[in-house]
Every structure is written in C-alpha cells, then in structure tokens.
Amino acid sequence: MMLSGESSIEGDDNEKMPGSSSHQLKDDMKKRPRNNPALFSFDLEGTGKDTDSSKIIQVHIKAPNGNEYDTLVHPGIEISDDISKLTGITNKKLRDKSTFAQIAPHVRDFIQNNRGDSTEVILVGYNARSYDIPLLANELLRLTHRNDEGLSISSFADKVMDVYLLIKDQEVWDNSGKEMPTTKTLNSVYCALYGNDAKNLHSAKGDVIAMNKIMEKLDSDYSIALERYTYPISYEGVNLDTLPKEERKLAEAARFREQCFAQRNPIYKDVNKCKEIINGYQSRLKPTESLEDNAGHWGCHEIIDSKQTAYFRTSKKEINILLHIAACTALNGVVITDCTDFKQMRTASHICQNARCVNPKHLCWETMSYNLSRRFCYGYAKCDNKVGPNVSCVHDPRCMTTMPVEQWM
C-alpha cells in the first residue's frame, strides 16, 4: 500500500472467497511461475502510515489458482476523514465487519488451502516490506492467541516479494522499452506503462490489480523479482550482520517482533521455571574470556556444543524455548508483552551485543528502538594503537563493550 494519491473504493464490502475466477483474473495470473513457489498477490489498507500503531481495515489476496479473498475489517477505532477520503472506506462501512482477530485464522487458512503442492509461499505486494508486512505482523502481535495456534507471521508465508523495489530497477525498464517515471507511486508507474490512470487505487483490490498489470509489463515471469527482490518473512537463525545495510533495519524489526511473539510462551511467565531451565544448562555453558579483534565478548556464556549462530533455541515437551529469554526472565522477572502499542513492547536485549550469550547478567528488557540504538556503541575504541572503552555510551544499563573488562565478569 502506498499512502498517496487520490482514489476511491468500489465494489462489494463483504468477504468473498469464490471458487472460480474471472477471465481477467486468469489473464493476470497465467504468466506466473507454477506450483513452486506459490505467489499470492496481496494488499492491506490501514488506519494510517505508522505500522506500529495502525490497524488493518481491508485485506485483498489473489491466489495462484485464481481464487481471491476480499474483506473489510473493523479496526476497533474510528478512522480519520483523511483515510476515508483516500480509500473510500468509511466508519459506517466498517461498523458491522469482523475484527482482525476474527478474520486472521481465515486469512491463514485461505493461503494454506490455495497453495497447491507448493513447498514455499511468497506474498507479493507493493511496498510490502516497509508497510504491509510490518502492519500484518504487528496486528498478529496484538492478538491474545497463544503460540500454539500458529498465528505468527511465518504461518502465513515464507517470503515476501516487493514490487516497489523492482520498479526502481533500471534494467527492467530498459527491457520494457519504457522510461522510468520520476515518482514511484503505483499510479505513476501504471501511467508510464499504460498511458492512463489505474482504477480504484487505494482499495486493496484495486491496488492488487494495478500491481499485477505492472508486473505483466516489467517482469511477466517474475524471474527478476524472485531473484533480486524476494526476502524472508522470518529472520530466525540469520546472522543479521551479514545482511546489506538497507535490509538489516527491516530484518532487525522482524526479529524483534518474532521475539515479542515468542515471549507469549507461558514458560516465560514463570520465573522459577526459567531458573530451572537455565540451571539445567550449566554443564554446557562456557564463559568466553578473551577479546577477539578488540571487540570480543568477556564473560558471555555460550552453549559449547551448539552450532547455532544466533539465539540459542531448544525445546521442552515439544515447546520451543529461546534460552536468552528464559535467562532474562530468571534474573529480571516477567515482562508484559500483550500491549496494543508495538513501540512499547519489550524483549530480551543483550547489553554485551552477543546474540549467542545466555548469561542472565548480560540481559535486560528493552523496547526495539532502545535495543537497536545499542548498535551505535561499537565497543572498544582504538586510540594510538591502544584499546580502551568507548566512553560515549549513554545507555542504561551501559553497553558492556564500553566498560572496563573487570566489570563484565
């Protein structure tokens, strides 16, 4: 969804899950790769631009087999006049609609029931990585559903393809024989390709139709988008330091949401149980006591026989457990994660900046923005070929890489 331009919604307000598609819809889908992966075009309309606080008000999805899912969603709040003017969706139209909590299982089931024999599901959207996916993920975090109901973001899809990034690729425009427009809104791109305005933009269905028409001209077999502009939904187990700078910020936010979701596991609500879990790993923990490249991890406790490169994950009675969250709970108590404002959610933060560490003294509860701001404390600073603490740290508790080594232990 791109929150700019003028248009209005048109069509039925009710949820639709037809068994067959129109000829136009089949034409939209016929050039897509078949079976593996399964590409679902989708768009979400929300109550505002801020994905942390906005609520979903409309969902539209087109499946590879031509089926579609379309519904309005009651956000639980009044929508502004600006959003009504932009989308054509009014508070009156939303009054009797289901909430996101009510439709979320149906959205997941629609995707899973229409994926065919594909082993991988990809959601295809316009500006989806920056807007639609964070909006969807944050809505899922607000739900009171427990982990075992499968309503995490990764239960909807495996990856996301962002067409907005594709249309900034000069090569696809050179191949099309058209000139890349200066602005990259959905309508300006559509106009550059077809010579007229797209219809019903800023309705979720209208945006999906326009996006699919753009793909017909720029990347009809989706090969370039699959190769260059398709990203994981979940970054579990990925070393974020290996990612390009522009991807790392979105990946860090995704990782934070995954942790917030994981923290709803009832085990993390029991301090004594968390202490028991941590004590059970004492024989497998090895403190690291030497600096590597002047920015190693003094006093960190790592699992010595594990090959995991990021957060250590284990299981107990078929329930996944992130050991660093259990360690943080054991020392710092229980954190409340079931709030409605994503910006206020907290997760276990490493003040040692070592994701593999499970030393409770190196962990605290922090918001995402405060957690990520620690990245600017790069650890020990070199001065005249000597290593010393970076005294510019303003965090509380202070980043451990800025302390004298003796305080780490």
Side-chain angles (χ1 to χ4, degrees):
M1 172 188 177
M2 295 291 288
L3 288 169
S4 59
E6 301 85 19
S7 63
S8 61
I9 186 171
E10 179 178 278
D12 191 357
D13 294 335
N14 297 321
E15 182 178 311
K16 295 179 287 186
M17 295 175 59
S20 60
S21 61
S22 66
H23 292 298
Q24 179 60 51
L25 183 56
K26 289 180 180 178
D27 289 341
D28 289 344
M29 311 295 290
K30 66 183 179 181
K31 293 185 178 181
R32 291 186 172 192
R34 293 290 181 179
N35 297 324
N36 196 14
L39 304 184
F40 287 78
S41 299
F42 86 113
D43 188 72
L44 305 176
E45 299 298 325
T47 57
K49 295 181 180 180
D50 183 357
T51 58
D52 292 345
S53 58
S54 294
K55 308 292 184 65
I56 293 173
I57 58 175
Q58 190 179 33
V59 178
H60 186 82
I61 309 172
K62 282 184 180 178
N65 59 10
N67 289 344
E68 61 181 332
Y69 181 100
D70 187 271
T71 186
L72 293 175
V73 183
H74 195 300
I77 59 174
E78 293 286 304
I79 63 174
S80 68
D81 292 340
D82 289 341
I83 292 297
S84 291
K85 182 178 179 180
L86 179 68
T87 64
I89 302 172
T90 63
N91 287 301
K92 183 178 179 180
K93 288 183 178 181
L94 299 175
R95 188 170 300 157
D96 298 323
K97 301 305 176 185
S98 299
T99 64
F100 180 76
Q102 292 169 324
I103 67 126
H106 302 300
V107 175
R108 177 200 58 195
D109 292 345
F110 173 80
I111 292 173
Q112 298 305 320
N113 293 337
N114 288 275
R115 65 186 294 172
D117 58 359
S118 299
T119 59
E120 186 175 66
V121 171
I122 298 177
L123 294 177
V124 183
Y126 198 85
N127 202 30
R129 291 193 75 215
S130 297
Y131 187 81
D132 301 80
I133 291 298
L135 180 63
L136 174 61
N138 292 340
E139 282 277 39
L140 290 170
L141 274 174
R142 296 187 186 102
L143 301 184
T144 57
H145 296 288
R146 290 171 55 183
N147 237 1
D148 55 7
E149 294 193 23
L151 284 172
S152 63
I153 186 67
S154 57
S155 68
F156 285 70
D158 303 293
K159 295 180 179 179
V160 56
M161 178 189 297
D162 199 330
V163 176
Y164 176 68
L165 300 179
L166 174 83
I167 58 95
K168 297 165 72 175
D169 189 325
Q170 185 62 53
E171 181 181 339
V172 299
W173 288 95
D174 292 342
N175 293 339
S176 72
K178 299 287 187 177
E179 184 175 348
M180 181 191 295
T182 304
T183 58
K184 305 301 187 296
T185 63
L186 196 58
N187 193 53
S188 63
V189 175
Y190 189 93
C191 285
L193 293 170
Y194 288 95
N196 57 274
D197 290 338
K199 297 179 179 179
N200 301 322
L201 289 184
H202 298 298
S203 70
K205 184 173 183 177
D207 287 357
V208 166
I209 291 173
M211 179 184 69
N212 285 341
K213 296 290 287 183
I214 287 170
M215 289 300 288
E216 285 183 12
K217 293 286 189 180
L218 295 182
D219 189 17
S220 61
D221 63 359
Y222 287 68
S223 59
I224 297 176
L226 281 167
E227 179 183 356
R228 303 178 188 176
Y229 305 111
T230 301
Y231 305 88
I233 287 283
S234 169
Y235 284 85
E236 179 183 319
V238 176
N239 184 350
L240 303 189
D241 290 331
T242 64
L243 300 177
K245 181 178 179 181
E246 61 273 12
E247 184 178 354
R248 190 180 305 153
K249 184 177 180 181
L250 290 170
E252 286 170 337
R255 173 75 62 79
F256 183 85
R257 286 190 295 266
E258 291 162 14
Q259 282 200 72
C260 286
F261 196 92
Q263 284 165 203
R264 294 187 172 182
N265 188 321
I267 285 179
Y268 306 131
K269 306 294 184 184
D270 188 333
V271 174
N272 290 330
K273 179 65 70 175
C274 288
K275 289 180 179 179
E276 178 186 323
I277 292 170
I278 294 300
N279 290 336
Y281 278 89
Q282 291 304 311
S283 63
R284 295 175 60 189
L285 295 177
K286 180 182 180 180
T288 55
E289 300 176 352
S290 62
L291 286 172
E292 299 174 3
D293 298 328
N294 302 324
H297 307 294
W298 283 80
C300 291
H301 294 176
E302 299 182 12
I303 307 298
I304 58 177
D305 53 353
S306 171
K307 295 182 179 179
Q308 297 186 37
T309 59
Y311 304 126
F312 181 75
R313 181 180 293 273
T314 185
S315 61
K316 191 177 183 68
K317 294 182 179 180
E318 299 183 350
I319 298 176
N320 287 328
I321 300 170
L322 288 168
L323 206 58
H324 74 289
I325 298 179
C328 192
T329 301
L331 184 66
N332 301 306
V334 177
V335 66
I336 303 301
T337 60
D338 295 338
C339 55
T340 58
D341 187 351
F342 176 64
K343 290 180 179 178
Q344 299 305 314
M345 292 181 181
R346 299 173 186 272
T347 191
S349 172
H350 287 90
I351 63 174
C352 57
Q353 300 186 20
N354 176 12
R356 297 183 298 276
C357 178
V358 294
N359 185 345
K361 294 181 180 179
H362 293 189
L363 291 154
C364 63
W365 300 116
E366 291 181 337
T367 62
M368 181 183 70
S369 59
Y370 202 79
N371 187 339
L372 297 186
S373 69
R374 290 184 181 275
R375 279 193 166 273
F376 295 99
C377 286
Y378 292 105
Y380 280 84
K382 270 192 172 182
C383 181
D384 297 328
N385 294 322
K386 295 180 180 180
V387 178
N390 176 357
V391 296
S392 63
C393 177
V394 295
H395 295 108
D396 183 20
R398 191 172 180 179
C399 295
M400 297 186 67
T401 46
T402 68
M403 297 178 184
V405 169
E406 301 77 46
Q407 295 184 31
W408 282 54
M409 310 305 288

